[in-house]
Amino acid sequence: MSNTPKSLYRDEGVVLRTQKLGEADRIVTVLTRRHGKVRAVAKGVRRTKSKFGARLEPFSHVDLQLYTGRTLDIVSQAESIRAYGQAIVADYPAYTAGTAVLETADRLTAEEREPSLRLFLLVIGALRALSERTHPAPLVLDAFLLRAMSVAGWEPALGGCARCGEEGPHRHFSVPAGGMVCPPCRPTGSAMPNPATVELLDALLTGDWDAAEASQNANRREGSGLVAALLQWHLERGLRSLPLVDRSDPTAPRRGAGLLSEA
């Protein structure tokens, strides 16, 4: 048995997902502020007498104390900073969008313990907006996805040509090229989105919410398709949660949703 002492550290993070371990434990995947993505064991949290099991649910912003482990760290303390889950799961569009936010953050941090403060702050901002109904949930999700791709180095070209840089506006959009393309650079099979859709994507990327919320549903649907195609291209496979996102008319009646199920 190793006598190597375990080191203790503290960080805040957002719970991305959980999975059962044994009879009473849970593996918690957390995107932290300073240590990147961390997978840790929370012992005994599935027992009814657990002190911090409810604090380690998806959508939770928590302050954690952990011990480093050989393969997985161990959670020794968990204090709630902000529990976004209750407000998010009570609203179906917010729940489906929030689930996609968490899965995207998980997929974009393939390397564990690689700090990404900008992505962490984007996740917090998206969950806050979804829980407070600040903006329509589908727009919050697409803004998050565009900005998360920007953080990852995949920001789409919406003004100049993605290939040669020639100033736009251009009429064609190529997913493999990474955005709008000029006529000489246009690959076969490029899309021709409505100019209003391109303006919407630019508004979401830059945070112009007045312009984004003034957009038409048809442009929102078209923009969402382009964003999803771009993300899938870069990740090389799609997100399970994206096809489930509720992009219905925001004026339609909303229904509740259950908690994220454990793997």
Side-chain angles (χ1 to χ4, degrees):
M1 182 180 294
S2 173
N3 292 321
T4 304
K6 296 179 179 178
S7 60
L8 183 68
Y9 68 97
R10 197 172 196 96
D11 205 346
E12 64 176 284
V14 176
V15 179
L16 302 181
R17 59 187 170 93
T18 66
Q19 62 189 96
K20 297 176 182 178
L21 179 66
E23 293 297 319
D25 303 340
R26 186 181 288 158
I27 297 174
V28 184
T29 301
V30 186
L31 179 62
T32 68
R33 176 182 282 270
R34 294 184 297 275
H35 295 82
K37 186 167 73 174
V38 172
R39 294 175 72 237
V41 176
K43 293 184 176 294
V45 294
R46 287 165 49 218
R47 296 192 182 105
T48 56
K49 294 182 180 180
S50 170
K51 294 181 179 179
F52 55 80
R55 302 169 195 163
L56 295 175
E57 293 288 347
F59 304 118
S60 297
H61 183 193
V62 289
D63 179 46
L64 297 173
Q65 182 171 281
L66 306 102
Y67 286 102
T68 56
R70 187 174 298 175
T71 54
L72 296 173
D73 292 353
I74 298 172
V75 180
S76 60
Q77 291 181 15
E79 298 295 335
S80 178
I81 296 175
R82 179 78 182 270
Y84 295 107
Q86 185 174 358
I88 289 176
V89 302
D91 180 80
Y92 191 71
Y95 171 72
T96 57
T99 302
V101 166
L102 297 188
E103 186 183 356
T104 301
D106 193 11
R107 291 283 300 280
L108 288 179
T109 50
E111 293 293 326
E112 295 184 21
R113 300 187 182 283
E114 288 291 330
S116 180
L117 177 60
R118 289 177 64 196
L119 182 60
F120 170 80
L121 295 175
L122 281 178
V123 173
I124 292 291
L127 296 184
R128 182 185 299 117
L130 291 172
S131 68
E132 297 177 354
R133 316 286 189 266
T134 309
H135 308 290
L139 291 184
V140 171
L141 173 60
D142 287 335
F144 169 80
L145 296 178
L146 285 165
R147 297 174 196 181
M149 283 191 281
S150 177
V151 169
W154 307 328
E155 181 173 323
L158 300 175
C161 174
R163 288 191 163 172
C164 71
E166 180 184 344
E167 287 298 317
H170 302 298
R171 289 292 294 116
H172 292 88
F173 186 99
S174 168
V175 170
M180 304 303 293
V181 286
C182 65
C185 294
R186 176 171 63 91
T188 302
S190 298
M192 188 181 290
N194 189 303
T197 299
V198 181
E199 293 174 5
L200 167 61
L201 296 184
D202 184 66
L204 292 173
L205 187 60
T206 59
D208 185 350
W209 285 104
D210 288 340
E213 293 189 351
S215 62
Q216 300 297 310
N217 284 335
N219 301 127
R220 296 183 187 187
R221 287 192 295 271
E222 185 177 41
S224 295
L226 295 176
V227 172
L230 275 173
L231 184 63
Q232 181 170 326
W233 172 266
H234 289 300
L235 292 177
E236 298 182 349
R237 61 188 177 94
L239 298 177
R240 292 184 303 170
S241 54
L242 266 187
L244 305 177
V245 172
D246 187 331
R247 298 186 183 278
S248 58
D249 186 338
T251 62
R254 296 182 175 184
R255 60 190 184 278
L259 285 169
L260 280 175
S261 60
E262 295 187 328

